[in-house]
Each structure stands twice: as structure tokens, then as C-alpha cells.
Amino acid sequence: MKTSLGPLLYCWEKDKVSDFYQHVAQSDIELVYLGEAVCSRRRELRSSDYLELAKMLKGSGKQVVLSTLALIEAAGELSELKKQVNNGEFMIEANDMAAVGYAREAGVPFVCGPHINLYNAASIQKLADWGMQRFVMPIELSKDWLAKVLEQLGGKPQRPEVEVLGHGHLPLAHSARCFTARHKGLAKDGCQTICREHSKGLLVQTQESQPLLRLNGIQTQSAACVNLAGQWAEMQAMGVDWFRISPASATLPTLDIHTPVTADECNGYWFGEAGFSRSTG
């Protein structure tokens, strides 16, 4: 099993993003996802900027995949999506079925991100027939589900590769409404890209001051960071190909497979429990 780096889900200043990926280029990470996957109103980086970063990372020996939006709402977003699919050099991560459709139409291989609802072996096989090379397991599913599906799909190399989001804040949902803008009393169309002020999203607590969720523009995340590093050996034995890290700071996390999850981390979904729970396995 190898380590991948998912797309940056937060809105950072362009210089910070560039510095971050220069650091990634010197790391041991082998596979990097690049692109705006949350909101098209975040324009700190343009498509040309992501392509420039992609070529830099490819030049440093990384595999690079261009990530697409998880929620397509406008004709302009569809046009941009088609350009991404037809970039001519890099595979895409489809986070919406429109991206799957465009990739299939163009005969371009693709990855299905965690927002594509692949809940059974038949769906996975169908998309593999359409050109899917790898899928990211939906975040709310368990190791038991994965074991059953992998058994049904058969062994390598017949089946597509499998990737699990193993470290980072879980992307739970997307909405047409921007929660961060609403919190600041702003309309979505006049949001002023206010999410730049929250480099790790905006923490939401219960009335008892317990962490509940994390608002990231139109995206809702888990308050706690999922940490499945302790399940590395188990995933490897099951046949998982990639352990995904979702970037949350300018410093990449150091994964320790011998350390239990801490009070501000979670791993419940993997064990078939409530997502925010912490299990010792």
C-alpha cells in the first residue's frame, strides 16, 4: 500500500498553496491530487495554475491526478469540467457523475472520488467498464463492506485500484448554500471568498461546547480528524492500494501506526460505528 495526497479542500492564498506543493514535491508521497473540488468561486488559483503545479510535481516523479468539483451547479462549471477532462496529459478524479460522463465520452481513464456513491460491486464494475482505474471508498462505509466488495470483484489486476481516506477531516456533504458566507451575514454571490479566513474550516460546536462539524464554504466536514494509520497493516492485507491523506495544514502529518487515535480524532466508520467514535479495533 502506498500513500496519496488528496486535493486541498480549503481556500488558501496562492503563495501558500505554491509553497505547500513545493514541499510535497520533496516528500515521499507518490500520488498527488490537484484542483478545486469544493467551490468554483474560489479563484485564488486558476486552471492554468493547477496545470503548472501538476507539471512541476510530475517532473519531481509524482503521479498527478486533477480533481473536479463535487457539486456542479452552472453551465460555466460544466464547460470548465470538460476542459479538465480533455487536458491531454493528466488523469482526472471525478467527484460528480458529469465528470464520469465526460471522461467516458472522451475515452479518458479516471478515478472516482469519495463523493461518487459506489455502494456495491456491480456499480464499481460498471464504472470500471467505462474507464475507471481507481475508486476512493465512500467515507461512511466500513472495512467489512470493503472486504465483501473486494471478494466479489476478484483479485488484481482484474479489479480497479482501491483508495481509502485514512487521515484528514471527512467531507460529509455539499450544499448549494454557502454556510461560511451565511455565518458572516453575506450572500453566496457576494461571499468575498470569506472562507480564506478559515484555513481549516470553521468549527461548529453544540450548546454544550462539544465539537460537532466543520464548515468549509458549501462543504460540511467532520469536526474530528479521521486517523486510520493504526489500520495500515489491516488495509494492506485486505488489498487496499492507496492510503489517502487530506491536507489540513502546511505540514504533512507524520503517521504512526502504533499510536491509538487521540481525543480529537475519530475512526468509527471504518469499524461500522458512528463516524465520530474512537475504536481500538
Side-chain angles (χ1 to χ4, degrees), residues 10-13 39 41-44 178-202 215-218:
Y10 305 109
C11 187
W12 293 357
E13 299 287 347
C39 181
R41 286 176 171 79
R42 296 176 176 179
R43 300 186 179 95
E44 294 297 303
C178 178
F179 299 109
T180 306
R182 184 176 177 85
H183 173 72
K184 298 289 186 178
L186 298 170
K188 182 180 178 181
D189 290 342
C191 67
Q192 303 173 27
T193 323
I194 201 68
C195 48
R196 284 179 301 188
E197 297 181 3
H198 305 282
S199 63
K200 292 185 180 181
L202 182 63
L215 301 183
N216 179 35
I218 67 169

PDB file of all heavy atoms in Angstrom, residues 10-13 39 41-44 178-202 215-218:
ATOM      1  N   TYR A  10      -9.417  23.356   1.309  1.00  0.00           N
ATOM      2  CA  TYR A  10      -9.594  24.680   1.904  1.00  0.00           C
ATOM      3  C   TYR A  10      -9.127  25.761   0.943  1.00  0.00           C
ATOM      4  O   TYR A  10      -8.423  25.488  -0.031  1.00  0.00           O
ATOM      5  CB  TYR A  10      -8.834  24.765   3.226  1.00  0.00           C
ATOM      6  CG  TYR A  10      -9.220  23.664   4.186  1.00  0.00           C
ATOM      7  CD1 TYR A  10      -8.344  22.632   4.475  1.00  0.00           C
ATOM      8  CD2 TYR A  10     -10.480  23.643   4.781  1.00  0.00           C
ATOM      9  CE1 TYR A  10      -8.701  21.601   5.333  1.00  0.00           C
ATOM     10  CE2 TYR A  10     -10.849  22.624   5.643  1.00  0.00           C
ATOM     11  CZ  TYR A  10      -9.956  21.603   5.914  1.00  0.00           C
ATOM     12  OH  TYR A  10     -10.325  20.586   6.749  1.00  0.00           O
ATOM     13  N   CYS A  11      -9.509  26.986   1.229  1.00  0.00           N
ATOM     14  CA  CYS A  11      -9.153  28.118   0.375  1.00  0.00           C
ATOM     15  C   CYS A  11      -7.951  28.844   0.971  1.00  0.00           C
ATOM     16  O   CYS A  11      -8.085  29.598   1.935  1.00  0.00           O
ATOM     17  CB  CYS A  11     -10.344  29.073   0.240  1.00  0.00           C
ATOM     18  SG  CYS A  11     -10.081  30.395  -0.957  1.00  0.00           S
ATOM     19  N   TRP A  12      -6.784  28.583   0.416  1.00  0.00           N
ATOM     20  CA  TRP A  12      -5.549  29.223   0.863  1.00  0.00           C
ATOM     21  C   TRP A  12      -5.095  30.245  -0.180  1.00  0.00           C
ATOM     22  O   TRP A  12      -5.442  30.146  -1.356  1.00  0.00           O
ATOM     23  CB  TRP A  12      -4.436  28.185   1.042  1.00  0.00           C
ATOM     24  CG  TRP A  12      -4.649  27.203   2.151  1.00  0.00           C
ATOM     25  CD1 TRP A  12      -5.683  27.166   3.046  1.00  0.00           C
ATOM     26  CD2 TRP A  12      -3.816  26.090   2.467  1.00  0.00           C
ATOM     27  NE1 TRP A  12      -5.533  26.114   3.909  1.00  0.00           N
ATOM     28  CE2 TRP A  12      -4.400  25.435   3.595  1.00  0.00           C
ATOM     29  CE3 TRP A  12      -2.636  25.587   1.942  1.00  0.00           C
ATOM     30  CZ2 TRP A  12      -3.843  24.299   4.161  1.00  0.00           C
ATOM     31  CZ3 TRP A  12      -2.062  24.459   2.509  1.00  0.00           C
ATOM     32  CH2 TRP A  12      -2.657  23.819   3.613  1.00  0.00           C
ATOM     33  N   GLU A  13      -4.304  31.204   0.280  1.00  0.00           N
ATOM     34  CA  GLU A  13      -3.711  32.163  -0.644  1.00  0.00           C
ATOM     35  C   GLU A  13      -2.800  31.431  -1.639  1.00  0.00           C
ATOM     36  O   GLU A  13      -2.211  30.395  -1.320  1.00  0.00           O
ATOM     37  CB  GLU A  13      -2.897  33.200   0.122  1.00  0.00           C
ATOM     38  CG  GLU A  13      -3.693  34.029   1.120  1.00  0.00           C
ATOM     39  CD  GLU A  13      -4.585  35.045   0.443  1.00  0.00           C
ATOM     40  OE1 GLU A  13      -4.406  35.274  -0.775  1.00  0.00           O
ATOM     41  OE2 GLU A  13      -5.461  35.624   1.124  1.00  0.00           O
ATOM     42  N   CYS A  39     -15.563  24.564  -4.377  1.00  0.00           N
ATOM     43  CA  CYS A  39     -16.370  25.702  -4.823  1.00  0.00           C
ATOM     44  C   CYS A  39     -15.688  26.456  -5.954  1.00  0.00           C
ATOM     45  O   CYS A  39     -14.526  26.863  -5.826  1.00  0.00           O
ATOM     46  CB  CYS A  39     -16.625  26.643  -3.649  1.00  0.00           C
ATOM     47  SG  CYS A  39     -17.632  28.082  -4.066  1.00  0.00           S
ATOM     48  N   ARG A  41     -16.170  29.377  -6.884  1.00  0.00           N
ATOM     49  CA  ARG A  41     -15.955  30.791  -6.579  1.00  0.00           C
ATOM     50  C   ARG A  41     -14.579  31.037  -5.958  1.00  0.00           C
ATOM     51  O   ARG A  41     -14.177  32.187  -5.780  1.00  0.00           O
ATOM     52  CB  ARG A  41     -17.062  31.308  -5.648  1.00  0.00           C
ATOM     53  CG  ARG A  41     -18.389  31.511  -6.359  1.00  0.00           C
ATOM     54  CD  ARG A  41     -19.483  31.939  -5.399  1.00  0.00           C
ATOM     55  NE  ARG A  41     -20.700  32.326  -6.096  1.00  0.00           N
ATOM     56  CZ  ARG A  41     -21.583  31.464  -6.593  1.00  0.00           C
ATOM     57  NH1 ARG A  41     -21.377  30.163  -6.441  1.00  0.00           N
ATOM     58  NH2 ARG A  41     -22.668  31.887  -7.227  1.00  0.00           N
ATOM     59  N   ARG A  42     -13.901  29.992  -5.598  1.00  0.00           N
ATOM     60  CA  ARG A  42     -12.538  30.135  -5.082  1.00  0.00           C
ATOM     61  C   ARG A  42     -11.600  30.275  -6.271  1.00  0.00           C
ATOM     62  O   ARG A  42     -11.318  29.312  -6.979  1.00  0.00           O
ATOM     63  CB  ARG A  42     -12.173  28.911  -4.247  1.00  0.00           C
ATOM     64  CG  ARG A  42     -13.037  28.770  -2.998  1.00  0.00           C
ATOM     65  CD  ARG A  42     -12.702  27.495  -2.245  1.00  0.00           C
ATOM     66  NE  ARG A  42     -13.455  27.387  -1.008  1.00  0.00           N
ATOM     67  CZ  ARG A  42     -13.365  26.364  -0.168  1.00  0.00           C
ATOM     68  NH1 ARG A  42     -12.559  25.357  -0.445  1.00  0.00           N
ATOM     69  NH2 ARG A  42     -14.086  26.348   0.943  1.00  0.00           N
ATOM     70  N   ARG A  43     -11.116  31.479  -6.470  1.00  0.00           N
ATOM     71  CA  ARG A  43     -10.331  31.761  -7.669  1.00  0.00           C
ATOM     72  C   ARG A  43      -8.904  32.196  -7.329  1.00  0.00           C
ATOM     73  O   ARG A  43      -8.275  32.929  -8.096  1.00  0.00           O
ATOM     74  CB  ARG A  43     -11.037  32.820  -8.507  1.00  0.00           C
ATOM     75  CG  ARG A  43     -12.439  32.382  -8.960  1.00  0.00           C
ATOM     76  CD  ARG A  43     -13.065  33.378  -9.907  1.00  0.00           C
ATOM     77  NE  ARG A  43     -14.399  32.938 -10.349  1.00  0.00           N
ATOM     78  CZ  ARG A  43     -15.530  33.315  -9.790  1.00  0.00           C
ATOM     79  NH1 ARG A  43     -15.508  34.156  -8.749  1.00  0.00           N
ATOM     80  NH2 ARG A  43     -16.693  32.882 -10.249  1.00  0.00           N
ATOM     81  N   GLU A  44      -8.404  31.781  -6.182  1.00  0.00           N
ATOM     82  CA  GLU A  44      -7.009  32.075  -5.858  1.00  0.00           C
ATOM     83  C   GLU A  44      -6.084  31.435  -6.889  1.00  0.00           C
ATOM     84  O   GLU A  44      -5.070  32.017  -7.269  1.00  0.00           O
ATOM     85  CB  GLU A  44      -6.683  31.540  -4.455  1.00  0.00           C
ATOM     86  CG  GLU A  44      -7.417  32.230  -3.324  1.00  0.00           C
ATOM     87  CD  GLU A  44      -7.048  33.698  -3.209  1.00  0.00           C
ATOM     88  OE1 GLU A  44      -5.857  33.996  -3.048  1.00  0.00           O
ATOM     89  OE2 GLU A  44      -7.957  34.541  -3.322  1.00  0.00           O
ATOM     90  N   CYS A 178     -23.834  28.451   0.805  1.00  0.00           N
ATOM     91  CA  CYS A 178     -22.514  28.598   1.426  1.00  0.00           C
ATOM     92  C   CYS A 178     -22.701  28.922   2.907  1.00  0.00           C
ATOM     93  O   CYS A 178     -23.138  30.013   3.275  1.00  0.00           O
ATOM     94  CB  CYS A 178     -21.706  29.700   0.754  1.00  0.00           C
ATOM     95  SG  CYS A 178     -20.084  29.940   1.544  1.00  0.00           S
ATOM     96  N   PHE A 179     -22.368  27.982   3.755  1.00  0.00           N
ATOM     97  CA  PHE A 179     -22.578  28.155   5.185  1.00  0.00           C
ATOM     98  C   PHE A 179     -21.612  29.168   5.792  1.00  0.00           C
ATOM     99  O   PHE A 179     -21.956  29.882   6.731  1.00  0.00           O
ATOM    100  CB  PHE A 179     -22.438  26.806   5.891  1.00  0.00           C
ATOM    101  CG  PHE A 179     -23.437  25.788   5.437  1.00  0.00           C
ATOM    102  CD1 PHE A 179     -23.040  24.712   4.663  1.00  0.00           C
ATOM    103  CD2 PHE A 179     -24.780  25.925   5.748  1.00  0.00           C
ATOM    104  CE1 PHE A 179     -23.965  23.770   4.229  1.00  0.00           C
ATOM    105  CE2 PHE A 179     -25.707  24.996   5.323  1.00  0.00           C
ATOM    106  CZ  PHE A 179     -25.301  23.909   4.562  1.00  0.00           C
ATOM    107  N   THR A 180     -20.401  29.224   5.265  1.00  0.00           N
ATOM    108  CA  THR A 180     -19.427  30.184   5.802  1.00  0.00           C
ATOM    109  C   THR A 180     -19.885  31.611   5.510  1.00  0.00           C
ATOM    110  O   THR A 180     -19.818  32.486   6.384  1.00  0.00           O
ATOM    111  CB  THR A 180     -18.037  29.928   5.196  1.00  0.00           C
ATOM    112  OG1 THR A 180     -17.673  28.555   5.394  1.00  0.00           O
ATOM    113  CG2 THR A 180     -16.997  30.814   5.862  1.00  0.00           C
ATOM    114  N   ALA A 181     -20.343  31.861   4.283  1.00  0.00           N
ATOM    115  CA  ALA A 181     -20.843  33.196   3.940  1.00  0.00           C
ATOM    116  C   ALA A 181     -22.056  33.548   4.790  1.00  0.00           C
ATOM    117  O   ALA A 181     -22.173  34.677   5.291  1.00  0.00           O
ATOM    118  CB  ALA A 181     -21.197  33.249   2.459  1.00  0.00           C
ATOM    119  N   ARG A 182     -22.948  32.598   4.981  1.00  0.00           N
ATOM    120  CA  ARG A 182     -24.156  32.856   5.774  1.00  0.00           C
ATOM    121  C   ARG A 182     -23.787  33.197   7.216  1.00  0.00           C
ATOM    122  O   ARG A 182     -24.386  34.080   7.842  1.00  0.00           O
ATOM    123  CB  ARG A 182     -25.076  31.636   5.736  1.00  0.00           C
ATOM    124  CG  ARG A 182     -26.403  31.846   6.451  1.00  0.00           C
ATOM    125  CD  ARG A 182     -27.304  30.635   6.278  1.00  0.00           C
ATOM    126  NE  ARG A 182     -28.550  30.783   6.998  1.00  0.00           N
ATOM    127  CZ  ARG A 182     -29.629  31.406   6.544  1.00  0.00           C
ATOM    128  NH1 ARG A 182     -29.591  31.960   5.347  1.00  0.00           N
ATOM    129  NH2 ARG A 182     -30.724  31.488   7.259  1.00  0.00           N
ATOM    130  N   HIS A 183     -22.788  32.494   7.741  1.00  0.00           N
ATOM    131  CA  HIS A 183     -22.333  32.767   9.110  1.00  0.00           C
ATOM    132  C   HIS A 183     -21.834  34.209   9.245  1.00  0.00           C
ATOM    133  O   HIS A 183     -22.001  34.839  10.294  1.00  0.00           O
ATOM    134  CB  HIS A 183     -21.223  31.785   9.473  1.00  0.00           C
ATOM    135  CG  HIS A 183     -20.564  32.064  10.793  1.00  0.00           C
ATOM    136  ND1 HIS A 183     -21.193  31.842  11.997  1.00  0.00           N
ATOM    137  CD2 HIS A 183     -19.329  32.570  11.094  1.00  0.00           C
ATOM    138  CE1 HIS A 183     -20.376  32.181  12.984  1.00  0.00           C
ATOM    139  NE2 HIS A 183     -19.255  32.634  12.462  1.00  0.00           N
ATOM    140  N   LYS A 184     -21.250  34.728   8.176  1.00  0.00           N
ATOM    141  CA  LYS A 184     -20.717  36.091   8.179  1.00  0.00           C
ATOM    142  C   LYS A 184     -21.753  37.121   7.721  1.00  0.00           C
ATOM    143  O   LYS A 184     -21.439  38.302   7.585  1.00  0.00           O
ATOM    144  CB  LYS A 184     -19.486  36.171   7.274  1.00  0.00           C
ATOM    145  CG  LYS A 184     -18.327  35.292   7.718  1.00  0.00           C
ATOM    146  CD  LYS A 184     -17.667  35.812   8.980  1.00  0.00           C
ATOM    147  CE  LYS A 184     -16.422  35.016   9.316  1.00  0.00           C
ATOM    148  NZ  LYS A 184     -15.728  35.539  10.515  1.00  0.00           N
ATOM    149  N   GLY A 185     -22.991  36.686   7.466  1.00  0.00           N
ATOM    150  CA  GLY A 185     -24.036  37.605   7.026  1.00  0.00           C
ATOM    151  C   GLY A 185     -23.895  38.044   5.590  1.00  0.00           C
ATOM    152  O   GLY A 185     -24.393  39.111   5.206  1.00  0.00           O
ATOM    153  N   LEU A 186     -23.250  37.208   4.761  1.00  0.00           N
ATOM    154  CA  LEU A 186     -23.032  37.535   3.356  1.00  0.00           C
ATOM    155  C   LEU A 186     -23.858  36.626   2.455  1.00  0.00           C
ATOM    156  O   LEU A 186     -24.095  35.464   2.783  1.00  0.00           O
ATOM    157  CB  LEU A 186     -21.547  37.379   2.997  1.00  0.00           C
ATOM    158  CG  LEU A 186     -20.565  38.282   3.738  1.00  0.00           C
ATOM    159  CD1 LEU A 186     -19.130  37.843   3.453  1.00  0.00           C
ATOM    160  CD2 LEU A 186     -20.754  39.732   3.333  1.00  0.00           C
ATOM    161  N   ALA A 187     -24.270  37.163   1.305  1.00  0.00           N
ATOM    162  CA  ALA A 187     -24.927  36.336   0.296  1.00  0.00           C
ATOM    163  C   ALA A 187     -23.874  35.510  -0.420  1.00  0.00           C
ATOM    164  O   ALA A 187     -22.716  35.910  -0.541  1.00  0.00           O
ATOM    165  CB  ALA A 187     -25.676  37.216  -0.695  1.00  0.00           C
ATOM    166  N   LYS A 188     -24.278  34.366  -0.925  1.00  0.00           N
ATOM    167  CA  LYS A 188     -23.327  33.494  -1.610  1.00  0.00           C
ATOM    168  C   LYS A 188     -22.684  34.183  -2.810  1.00  0.00           C
ATOM    169  O   LYS A 188     -21.477  34.067  -3.037  1.00  0.00           O
ATOM    170  CB  LYS A 188     -24.030  32.210  -2.047  1.00  0.00           C
ATOM    171  CG  LYS A 188     -23.110  31.199  -2.726  1.00  0.00           C
ATOM    172  CD  LYS A 188     -23.866  29.955  -3.124  1.00  0.00           C
ATOM    173  CE  LYS A 188     -22.966  28.964  -3.836  1.00  0.00           C
ATOM    174  NZ  LYS A 188     -23.704  27.750  -4.253  1.00  0.00           N
ATOM    175  N   ASP A 189     -23.483  34.926  -3.575  1.00  0.00           N
ATOM    176  CA  ASP A 189     -22.948  35.602  -4.759  1.00  0.00           C
ATOM    177  C   ASP A 189     -22.019  36.757  -4.403  1.00  0.00           C
ATOM    178  O   ASP A 189     -21.282  37.234  -5.260  1.00  0.00           O
ATOM    179  CB  ASP A 189     -24.092  36.111  -5.632  1.00  0.00           C
ATOM    180  CG  ASP A 189     -24.850  34.979  -6.310  1.00  0.00           C
ATOM    181  OD1 ASP A 189     -24.286  33.868  -6.386  1.00  0.00           O
ATOM    182  OD2 ASP A 189     -25.990  35.203  -6.742  1.00  0.00           O
ATOM    183  N   GLY A 190     -22.080  37.212  -3.166  1.00  0.00           N
ATOM    184  CA  GLY A 190     -21.186  38.274  -2.709  1.00  0.00           C
ATOM    185  C   GLY A 190     -20.369  37.815  -1.517  1.00  0.00           C
ATOM    186  O   GLY A 190     -20.183  38.554  -0.556  1.00  0.00           O
ATOM    187  N   CYS A 191     -19.875  36.606  -1.596  1.00  0.00           N
ATOM    188  CA  CYS A 191     -19.230  35.970  -0.432  1.00  0.00           C
ATOM    189  C   CYS A 191     -17.861  36.553  -0.089  1.00  0.00           C
ATOM    190  O   CYS A 191     -17.334  36.320   0.992  1.00  0.00           O
ATOM    191  CB  CYS A 191     -19.082  34.471  -0.681  1.00  0.00           C
ATOM    192  SG  CYS A 191     -17.917  34.058  -2.007  1.00  0.00           S
ATOM    193  N   GLN A 192     -17.254  37.302  -1.032  1.00  0.00           N
ATOM    194  CA  GLN A 192     -15.925  37.885  -0.825  1.00  0.00           C
ATOM    195  C   GLN A 192     -14.879  36.810  -0.532  1.00  0.00           C
ATOM    196  O   GLN A 192     -13.832  37.080   0.063  1.00  0.00           O
ATOM    197  CB  GLN A 192     -15.957  38.913   0.311  1.00  0.00           C
ATOM    198  CG  GLN A 192     -16.949  40.037   0.108  1.00  0.00           C
ATOM    199  CD  GLN A 192     -17.092  40.936   1.315  1.00  0.00           C
ATOM    200  OE1 GLN A 192     -16.150  41.080   2.121  1.00  0.00           O
ATOM    201  NE2 GLN A 192     -18.247  41.554   1.469  1.00  0.00           N
ATOM    202  N   THR A 193     -15.166  35.586  -0.924  1.00  0.00           N
ATOM    203  CA  THR A 193     -14.298  34.427  -0.661  1.00  0.00           C
ATOM    204  C   THR A 193     -13.873  34.440   0.811  1.00  0.00           C
ATOM    205  O   THR A 193     -12.706  34.313   1.148  1.00  0.00           O
ATOM    206  CB  THR A 193     -13.064  34.420  -1.592  1.00  0.00           C
ATOM    207  OG1 THR A 193     -13.435  34.885  -2.895  1.00  0.00           O
ATOM    208  CG2 THR A 193     -12.502  33.009  -1.719  1.00  0.00           C
ATOM    209  N   ILE A 194     -14.875  34.574   1.681  1.00  0.00           N
ATOM    210  CA  ILE A 194     -14.625  34.724   3.109  1.00  0.00           C
ATOM    211  C   ILE A 194     -13.990  33.475   3.718  1.00  0.00           C
ATOM    212  O   ILE A 194     -13.368  33.531   4.791  1.00  0.00           O
ATOM    213  CB  ILE A 194     -15.949  35.074   3.838  1.00  0.00           C
ATOM    214  CG1 ILE A 194     -15.686  35.726   5.193  1.00  0.00           C
ATOM    215  CG2 ILE A 194     -16.843  33.860   3.960  1.00  0.00           C
ATOM    216  CD1 ILE A 194     -15.086  37.101   5.105  1.00  0.00           C
ATOM    217  N   CYS A 195     -14.103  32.343   3.016  1.00  0.00           N
ATOM    218  CA  CYS A 195     -13.516  31.105   3.541  1.00  0.00           C
ATOM    219  C   CYS A 195     -11.993  31.166   3.595  1.00  0.00           C
ATOM    220  O   CYS A 195     -11.355  30.337   4.252  1.00  0.00           O
ATOM    221  CB  CYS A 195     -13.980  29.893   2.728  1.00  0.00           C
ATOM    222  SG  CYS A 195     -13.842  30.086   0.950  1.00  0.00           S
ATOM    223  N   ARG A 196     -11.379  32.185   2.958  1.00  0.00           N
ATOM    224  CA  ARG A 196      -9.931  32.364   3.078  1.00  0.00           C
ATOM    225  C   ARG A 196      -9.511  32.637   4.517  1.00  0.00           C
ATOM    226  O   ARG A 196      -8.363  32.401   4.891  1.00  0.00           O
ATOM    227  CB  ARG A 196      -9.470  33.530   2.198  1.00  0.00           C
ATOM    228  CG  ARG A 196      -9.398  33.215   0.719  1.00  0.00           C
ATOM    229  CD  ARG A 196      -8.970  34.410  -0.084  1.00  0.00           C
ATOM    230  NE  ARG A 196      -9.888  35.534   0.085  1.00  0.00           N
ATOM    231  CZ  ARG A 196      -9.830  36.657  -0.617  1.00  0.00           C
ATOM    232  NH1 ARG A 196      -8.886  36.806  -1.537  1.00  0.00           N
ATOM    233  NH2 ARG A 196     -10.700  37.624  -0.431  1.00  0.00           N
ATOM    234  N   GLU A 197     -10.450  33.147   5.324  1.00  0.00           N
ATOM    235  CA  GLU A 197     -10.129  33.472   6.709  1.00  0.00           C
ATOM    236  C   GLU A 197     -10.077  32.234   7.604  1.00  0.00           C
ATOM    237  O   GLU A 197      -9.689  32.328   8.766  1.00  0.00           O
ATOM    238  CB  GLU A 197     -11.170  34.451   7.266  1.00  0.00           C
ATOM    239  CG  GLU A 197     -11.184  35.789   6.550  1.00  0.00           C
ATOM    240  CD  GLU A 197     -12.207  36.744   7.148  1.00  0.00           C
ATOM    241  OE1 GLU A 197     -12.853  36.356   8.152  1.00  0.00           O
ATOM    242  OE2 GLU A 197     -12.361  37.855   6.600  1.00  0.00           O
ATOM    243  N   HIS A 198     -10.460  31.086   7.058  1.00  0.00           N
ATOM    244  CA  HIS A 198     -10.526  29.866   7.867  1.00  0.00           C
ATOM    245  C   HIS A 198      -9.765  28.760   7.144  1.00  0.00           C
ATOM    246  O   HIS A 198     -10.332  27.981   6.383  1.00  0.00           O
ATOM    247  CB  HIS A 198     -11.981  29.465   8.108  1.00  0.00           C
ATOM    248  CG  HIS A 198     -12.794  30.563   8.724  1.00  0.00           C
ATOM    249  ND1 HIS A 198     -12.729  30.886  10.061  1.00  0.00           N
ATOM    250  CD2 HIS A 198     -13.695  31.430   8.167  1.00  0.00           C
ATOM    251  CE1 HIS A 198     -13.541  31.891  10.317  1.00  0.00           C
ATOM    252  NE2 HIS A 198     -14.136  32.241   9.186  1.00  0.00           N
ATOM    253  N   SER A 199      -8.479  28.682   7.404  1.00  0.00           N
ATOM    254  CA  SER A 199      -7.607  27.772   6.655  1.00  0.00           C
ATOM    255  C   SER A 199      -7.854  26.310   6.960  1.00  0.00           C
ATOM    256  O   SER A 199      -7.354  25.431   6.256  1.00  0.00           O
ATOM    257  CB  SER A 199      -6.137  28.114   6.946  1.00  0.00           C
ATOM    258  OG  SER A 199      -5.836  27.910   8.314  1.00  0.00           O
ATOM    259  N   LYS A 200      -8.621  26.010   8.012  1.00  0.00           N
ATOM    260  CA  LYS A 200      -9.011  24.636   8.326  1.00  0.00           C
ATOM    261  C   LYS A 200     -10.529  24.521   8.468  1.00  0.00           C
ATOM    262  O   LYS A 200     -11.039  23.609   9.104  1.00  0.00           O
ATOM    263  CB  LYS A 200      -8.353  24.164   9.624  1.00  0.00           C
ATOM    264  CG  LYS A 200      -6.847  23.980   9.550  1.00  0.00           C
ATOM    265  CD  LYS A 200      -6.329  23.390  10.844  1.00  0.00           C
ATOM    266  CE  LYS A 200      -4.821  23.191  10.799  1.00  0.00           C
ATOM    267  NZ  LYS A 200      -4.310  22.593  12.063  1.00  0.00           N
ATOM    268  N   GLY A 201     -11.249  25.444   7.863  1.00  0.00           N
ATOM    269  CA  GLY A 201     -12.691  25.457   8.020  1.00  0.00           C
ATOM    270  C   GLY A 201     -13.090  26.132   9.321  1.00  0.00           C
ATOM    271  O   GLY A 201     -12.252  26.554  10.126  1.00  0.00           O
ATOM    272  N   LEU A 202     -14.389  26.232   9.535  1.00  0.00           N
ATOM    273  CA  LEU A 202     -14.947  26.935  10.687  1.00  0.00           C
ATOM    274  C   LEU A 202     -15.609  25.920  11.613  1.00  0.00           C
ATOM    275  O   LEU A 202     -16.590  25.270  11.244  1.00  0.00           O
ATOM    276  CB  LEU A 202     -15.969  27.968  10.208  1.00  0.00           C
ATOM    277  CG  LEU A 202     -16.647  28.854  11.244  1.00  0.00           C
ATOM    278  CD1 LEU A 202     -15.621  29.730  11.955  1.00  0.00           C
ATOM    279  CD2 LEU A 202     -17.701  29.723  10.565  1.00  0.00           C
ATOM    280  N   LEU A 215     -17.397  23.772   9.062  1.00  0.00           N
ATOM    281  CA  LEU A 215     -17.935  24.396   7.859  1.00  0.00           C
ATOM    282  C   LEU A 215     -16.795  24.854   6.958  1.00  0.00           C
ATOM    283  O   LEU A 215     -15.872  25.538   7.399  1.00  0.00           O
ATOM    284  CB  LEU A 215     -18.813  25.591   8.224  1.00  0.00           C
ATOM    285  CG  LEU A 215     -20.016  25.309   9.127  1.00  0.00           C
ATOM    286  CD1 LEU A 215     -20.820  26.580   9.331  1.00  0.00           C
ATOM    287  CD2 LEU A 215     -20.887  24.194   8.561  1.00  0.00           C
ATOM    288  N   ASN A 216     -16.885  24.485   5.697  1.00  0.00           N
ATOM    289  CA  ASN A 216     -15.854  24.831   4.728  1.00  0.00           C
ATOM    290  C   ASN A 216     -16.535  25.316   3.461  1.00  0.00           C
ATOM    291  O   ASN A 216     -16.609  24.603   2.459  1.00  0.00           O
ATOM    292  CB  ASN A 216     -14.970  23.602   4.460  1.00  0.00           C
ATOM    293  CG  ASN A 216     -13.884  23.881   3.431  1.00  0.00           C
ATOM    294  OD1 ASN A 216     -13.337  24.979   3.365  1.00  0.00           O
ATOM    295  ND2 ASN A 216     -13.596  22.882   2.614  1.00  0.00           N
ATOM    296  N   GLY A 217     -17.085  26.533   3.517  1.00  0.00           N
ATOM    297  CA  GLY A 217     -17.834  27.053   2.386  1.00  0.00           C
ATOM    298  C   GLY A 217     -19.115  26.272   2.202  1.00  0.00           C
ATOM    299  O   GLY A 217     -19.938  26.172   3.107  1.00  0.00           O
ATOM    300  N   ILE A 218     -19.303  25.676   1.024  1.00  0.00           N
ATOM    301  CA  ILE A 218     -20.505  24.880   0.762  1.00  0.00           C
ATOM    302  C   ILE A 218     -20.342  23.437   1.262  1.00  0.00           C
ATOM    303  O   ILE A 218     -21.278  22.638   1.161  1.00  0.00           O
ATOM    304  CB  ILE A 218     -20.860  24.863  -0.736  1.00  0.00           C
ATOM    305  CG1 ILE A 218     -19.802  24.109  -1.550  1.00  0.00           C
ATOM    306  CG2 ILE A 218     -21.054  26.280  -1.255  1.00  0.00           C
ATOM    307  CD1 ILE A 218     -20.219  23.835  -2.980  1.00  0.00           C
TER     308      ILE A 218
END
